[in-house]
Amino acid sequence: MDMPTATCHHCGEPLPAQPVLATLKRETRAFCCGGCAGAARFIDEAGLGDYYRLREEQGQRVDETLADYRAFDREDVLHEHSRVPDEAPDCREMTLIVEGMRCAACAWLIDRALMRLDGVVEVQSNAMSSRVSLRWRPSALRLSAALERLAALGYRPHLSPGEALERERVAERKRLLLRLGVAGIGSLQAMMFAEALYLDFSNQMAPATRDFFRWVTFGVSAPVVFYSGWPFLSGMVTEFRQRRLGMDTLIGGSVLLAYFASLVETIRGGAHVWYDAAVMFVFFLLVARYLERMARQRANAAVDALAQARPALAWRMQPDGVAVQVPVAALAAGDHVRVPVGEALPADGELIEEAAEVDEALLSGESTPVPKRPGDAVFAGSVARLQPLAMRILRTGQETRLSHLVQLVERAQNSRPRAAQVADRIASHFVMALGVAAALTFWAWWQVQPERAFEVMLAVLVVSCPCALSLAIPAALASAGNALTRIGALPLRGDALEDLARIDTVLLDKTGTLTLGRPRIESVQVFEGLDAEAARRIAAALEREAGHPLARAFEGIGAPRAQAVQAHAGAGVEGVVEGRRWRIGQARFAAGALEDAPGVWLGDGERAYAVFELVDRPRVDAAEAIARLKQQGLAVEILSGDTAGAVEATARELGIARWQARATPESKLARLRELQAQGHRVLMLGDGINDAPVLAGADVSIALSCGAPLAHRAADLVLGGERLMRLPQVLQLARRTRGLIRENLAWALAYNLIALPFAAAGLVTPWMAALGMAGSSLVVTLNALRLGHARMWALPEPRA
């Protein structure tokens, strides 16, 4: 028997001191927990052991205490998230988003494990999109049983938030694959018959046999041209209606020209037909489009992850203390909700009752759970860890931070970058020039060798089709979007990467950006007879409503709720606490001082009642990130509203020579304008409300995901997590994307300039032209996919 290895046989995690041992196929295997051992036993007993041989990545660890999925059998949940197919009224079908499905072996295992359940009619798993399409008979199988089977294998199923959108995605993918399959089979058949015709070098084939092959080729080419090629034909019609020339006009026109000219030659018994060129043209273009779609699908993973985070159901507490499970849409501000361990929070709110830990990886990019105390803010999409938590709902639905990020990212993805628009205009002019060149080629060959004039013209049209030119930028941007997702950055403006590549100066906020944004109170000095505890309570009441990271220093302090709270950017916060108006912030603002003084001051606008000394540590990799930015040739500068002493200390520790303290939003914006007037391209990284004006004015602006929503709205990208190393990575990605776009454009233009003379000289046949054009498009697409390589963008461990 084999000895146990040092890692779990199922999930690959390190083994505990006393691992769980199980015998599978007469071999002893070690597991980290009973859950993984149970999953492995099922796989073995079901005859699905090939999963361990086929998989490319380790499986997901299986929780020993599986979640209760019985609530998903409720009729209201099924009505919202599934549908009854027209062709099978006794069935239901839905799309599940499955966490932990990483490779084709996972999809293979899920398909076979679910199909073994009585009542399951059809299962289609897609490891690339982490989705499982399930059709089952409710009379024979409960949905919860299928979900429990997935959970028992180590996969965590989520109900898809938009069933209509999911159905459209699945239908689109099926259509594209079906068109690609028809084109592949049709091209293979057409080439087989065309080869028989090409091999008749001495023209000894009987006319009847030749015509038979041509008519058969005509038949097998028809589905390729009119079904597989329909996206190009419909695009051509649209461009005609808009009175413009584009890629679809050239592609559709060339395909129809080759197809119907071949039909004419078949009818009249001419010397040549070009069915093979038409079908190969369609097939290879669909392959290129499919690869580009794969890149876009991976780039959309950020939106998918955000969308799947909100649960379908929540446990709402009744006045009598009983928890009742209700749809998330039924929640309202003020409701008390209990969240079980491992479940996602359904809305934004604040923690009540006991302290807890939540996993904010989706919103921040960090996998380490964050400790929370009663009164702390918690957000939809976070996951309860270690123990259940109770929360009071403050914002629901579209008002949550999660929905806000989804809207911003979707808006960016729906916009078309300037570079892509420029490429489209270039391609449009190229199409017109190519049409003129093809007409001149036809005229010239008609004078010399009329029987080859059409064939040479067709080769010119096909070989020089600027498909690669049109794919060069979109494919690169789609792959860059995938890389941004791996880094942990959400693009909120389509042109952000293009502008980011030209940046030469970086402006940084200090508090919450260079530092952790988790300040603590070092000391409190009180005046006018106010005791320190009362000062803390008043400050906590005011800061609870503030969006600046300094507010975290006052979290967890029991305090009344402030009224009429108003934030003054760059100065502080003002509000009424227990009937009295207070201010907290800079000395001038809070205490009416003539000169500013260090610390955070509490006063009524005329007199000082307390001053708080706060300390905030730099982020663990801040110095390394600043060093990397300098290596990239960037000038780095701090603009902070903090005191001169605090800003100077942080700048000295991080190696930043230029800094500005006590900066107001106006002075930050003035410094930005000064740099821009000198010809610099400026990036601003910030997180607070007072950073919003300068974020809006910068050439490129980046906000931290933990920052204020107003900062998000003004930013071009949102950077997740606690690690500042993501900033130089994003800048490096932008520069690599620019270089790759230039490579693609250079290749596309060089290919067209080289191939055109050969085609015009009659040295390239139409089928060779189709092969060359498609090869050029594939080269551009595959080159772009290099950007999304996972290892390239893995975040390095911070230096000790």
Side-chain angles (χ1 to χ4, degrees):
M1 294 192 303
D2 292 348
M3 294 300 293
T5 58
T7 58
C8 176
H9 176 62
H10 181 75
C11 71
E13 292 193 8
L15 293 175
Q18 295 182 341
V20 178
L21 300 180
T23 302
L24 306 175
K25 293 184 178 179
R26 300 181 180 180
E27 295 181 0
T28 300
R29 300 293 186 182
F31 301 90
C32 62
C33 63
C36 286
R41 287 195 194 97
F42 168 80
I43 292 172
D44 181 56
E45 293 168 1
L48 302 175
D50 283 345
Y51 162 71
Y52 293 110
R53 179 176 58 83
L54 296 172
R55 67 181 179 178
E56 299 170 7
E57 299 187 36
Q58 295 288 357
Q60 189 89 343
R61 181 170 181 168
V62 183
D63 292 333
E64 296 187 67
T65 304
L66 297 178
D68 186 357
Y69 292 100
R70 288 176 295 179
F72 296 108
D73 296 326
R74 292 166 46 130
E75 190 59 37
D76 55 349
V77 176
L78 292 175
H79 178 74
E80 181 179 356
H81 293 275
S82 68
R83 75 180 189 95
V84 177
D86 296 335
E87 67 276 12
D90 62 331
C91 296
R92 280 189 174 274
E93 62 182 20
M94 72 184 316
T95 300
L96 299 169
I97 301 176
V98 179
E99 184 180 341
M101 182 166 52
R102 299 189 177 100
C103 63
C106 294
W108 178 88
L109 176 63
I110 289 172
D111 283 349
R112 282 152 182 79
L114 291 182
M115 284 302 297
R116 288 177 176 270
L117 294 173
D118 291 335
V120 173
V121 177
E122 183 182 2
V123 182
Q124 290 184 348
S125 303
N126 188 318
M128 185 186 303
S129 60
S130 298
R131 282 168 166 76
V132 174
S133 297
L134 175 66
R135 178 180 289 192
W136 80 103
R137 285 191 297 272
S139 59
L141 178 73
R142 294 177 292 105
L143 174 62
S144 58
L147 302 184
E148 288 165 1
R149 172 62 57 85
L150 285 174
L153 293 174
Y155 304 104
R156 189 174 184 82
H158 302 271
L159 297 184
S160 177
E163 187 62 25
L165 178 59
E166 286 301 322
R167 288 199 301 271
E168 179 56 33
R169 281 185 176 181
V170 171
E172 180 187 358
R173 184 169 61 248
K174 286 182 177 179
R175 284 195 299 268
L176 181 55
L177 286 174
L178 185 58
R179 293 186 197 279
L180 188 58
V182 170
I185 295 173
S187 298
L188 184 64
Q189 296 296 320
M191 283 301 298
M192 184 173 63
F193 291 113
E195 184 179 6
L197 295 173
Y198 288 139
L199 292 176
D200 183 25
F201 299 115
S202 56
N203 295 321
Q204 294 181 352
M205 184 180 293
T209 305
R210 182 200 63 190
D211 291 345
F212 171 76
F213 281 138
R214 288 182 173 182
W215 281 112
V216 172
T217 310
F218 166 78
V220 299
S221 301
V224 179
V225 171
F226 296 105
Y227 175 72
S228 298
W230 178 249
F232 308 114
L233 301 181
S234 61
M236 179 180 67
V237 172
T238 301
E239 289 175 354
F240 279 157
R241 289 175 177 171
Q242 297 173 352
R243 296 183 179 180
R244 65 183 181 89
L245 292 177
M247 286 299 308
D248 287 338
T249 300
L250 183 57
I251 296 170
S254 299
V255 169
L256 292 179
L257 196 60
Y259 184 75
F260 285 111
S262 299
L263 176 60
V264 171
E265 291 297 288
T266 299
I267 294 172
R268 61 187 290 268
H272 302 286
V273 291
W274 306 277
Y275 295 116
D276 52 336
V279 295
M280 287 180 63
F281 199 21
V282 172
F283 173 65
F284 285 116
L285 282 172
L286 285 177
V287 170
R289 284 202 174 185
Y290 182 71
L291 290 175
E292 185 196 6
R293 186 187 182 280
M294 287 171 57
R296 290 187 181 278
Q297 186 167 298
R298 292 193 185 101
N300 288 338
V303 178
D304 293 342
L306 292 171
Q308 80 181 50
R310 196 179 73 161
L313 299 168
W315 291 96
R316 184 170 60 191
M317 304 301 297
Q318 301 294 96
D320 57 3
V322 177
V324 177
Q325 204 164 29
V326 298
V328 168
L331 296 178
D335 286 346
H336 287 199
V337 171
R338 185 165 295 279
V339 183
V341 176
E343 293 293 327
L345 277 60
D348 290 356
E350 61 181 6
L351 193 67
I352 57 178
E353 297 181 6
E354 300 177 357
E357 287 191 359
V358 296
D359 182 353
E360 297 182 344
L362 189 71
L363 297 172
S364 70
E366 296 295 334
S367 57
T368 305
V370 180
K372 298 285 185 179
R373 294 172 293 183
D376 286 356
V378 289
F379 303 101
S382 305
V383 178
R385 296 300 186 199
L386 298 183
Q387 69 274 335
L389 63 83
M391 61 179 291
R392 179 186 297 110
I393 302 296
L394 298 179
R395 292 176 296 275
T396 63
Q398 298 301 311
E399 297 178 357
T400 63
R401 175 181 286 188
L402 181 69
S403 297
H404 173 70
L405 285 176
V406 170
Q407 293 164 10
L408 291 176
V409 176
E410 286 180 339
R411 183 184 66 187
Q413 291 184 342
N414 290 332
S415 64
R416 190 156 177 80
R418 289 192 305 269
Q421 296 174 12
V422 170
D424 285 346
R425 287 197 294 270
I426 293 174
S428 178
H429 294 310
F430 195 93
V431 168
M432 288 188 286
L434 183 58
V436 174
L440 291 175
T441 301
F442 180 83
W443 177 82
W445 275 89
W446 187 262
Q447 308 301 317
V448 179
Q449 199 173 349
E451 66 275 9
R452 292 200 62 199
F454 181 82
E455 178 183 353
V456 175
M457 180 195 71
L458 183 61
V460 167
L461 285 173
V462 173
V463 79
S464 299
C465 177
C467 302
L469 185 63
S470 291
L471 284 172
I473 294 176
L477 292 178
S479 188
N482 177 30
L484 278 176
T485 300
R486 295 184 183 279
I487 292 172
L490 295 175
L492 306 183
R493 180 169 63 85
D495 298 319
L497 273 180
E498 179 186 352
D499 293 336
L500 199 58
R502 298 196 292 266
I503 291 299
D504 59 27
T505 304
V506 179
L507 301 181
L508 300 167
D509 179 43
K510 182 186 79 71
T511 305
T513 302
L514 289 173
T515 62
L516 289 171
R518 290 194 285 268
R520 68 177 188 275
I521 301 174
E522 185 76 4
S523 64
V524 184
Q525 185 178 358
V526 293
F527 317 102
E528 303 291 339
L530 185 69
D531 64 86
E533 186 60 32
R536 290 174 186 267
R537 291 176 56 253
I538 296 169
L542 292 170
E543 290 286 6
R544 180 183 293 167
E545 307 296 329
H548 195 275
L550 285 180
R552 296 187 178 184
F554 301 92
E555 289 179 350
I557 300 175
R561 184 168 293 278
Q563 306 294 327
V565 176
Q566 184 177 2
H568 297 266
V573 180
E574 179 180 10
V576 177
V577 180
E578 296 179 335
R580 183 173 178 180
R581 180 164 294 278
W582 292 93
R583 288 184 174 186
I584 186 170
Q586 294 184 9
R588 291 180 179 178
F589 170 75
L594 296 178
E595 295 183 0
D596 214 348
V600 177
W601 291 77
L602 176 68
D604 58 6
E606 297 178 354
R607 289 175 294 178
Y609 284 83
V611 59
F612 301 88
E613 182 183 351
L614 307 180
V615 293
D616 191 8
R617 293 184 294 109
R619 295 182 185 271
V620 64
D621 60 346
E624 187 178 356
I626 298 303
R628 182 71 64 84
L629 291 174
K630 291 180 178 179
Q631 290 174 5
Q632 294 174 348
L634 298 167
V636 182
E637 186 174 334
I638 298 177
L639 299 180
S640 174
D642 210 343
T643 61
V647 178
E648 182 182 14
T650 301
R652 189 186 313 112
E653 182 176 354
L654 300 181
I656 300 175
R658 191 177 185 98
W659 53 271
Q660 181 179 335
R662 288 304 188 193
T664 64
E666 292 78 13
S667 63
K668 289 183 179 181
L669 190 58
R671 176 58 181 160
L672 171 71
R673 298 302 186 205
E674 178 185 351
L675 289 168
Q676 290 174 330
Q678 295 171 3
H680 293 288
R681 305 284 297 182
V682 184
L683 161 70
M684 175 67 192
L685 175 66
D687 70 323
I689 293 174
N690 60 332
D691 296 321
V694 69
L695 285 171
D699 296 291
V700 179
S701 54
I702 301 179
L704 298 180
S705 62
C706 56
L710 185 59
H712 292 171
R713 284 193 286 272
D716 300 319
L717 292 99
V718 170
L719 212 59
E722 301 284 343
R723 304 282 299 280
L724 271 184
M725 278 300 295
R726 288 186 170 91
L727 178 59
Q729 277 193 322
V730 169
L731 285 160
Q732 181 186 6
L733 172 63
R735 292 178 177 181
R736 287 195 178 185
T737 302
R738 178 178 62 180
L740 193 141
I741 287 175
R742 289 175 177 174
E743 288 177 12
N744 281 353
L745 289 175
W747 165 260
L749 290 172
Y751 163 78
N752 280 286
L753 291 176
I754 293 172
L756 183 58
F758 282 95
L763 301 177
V764 179
T765 63
W767 73 267
M768 293 171 58
L771 190 61
M773 180 283 310
S776 175
S777 300
L778 288 175
V779 166
V780 164
T781 304
L782 294 174
N783 188 40
L785 291 177
R786 292 189 300 117
L787 269 180
H789 198 279
R791 293 180 182 177
M792 186 184 298
W793 306 111
L795 200 64
E797 289 298 320
R799 296 173 183 170

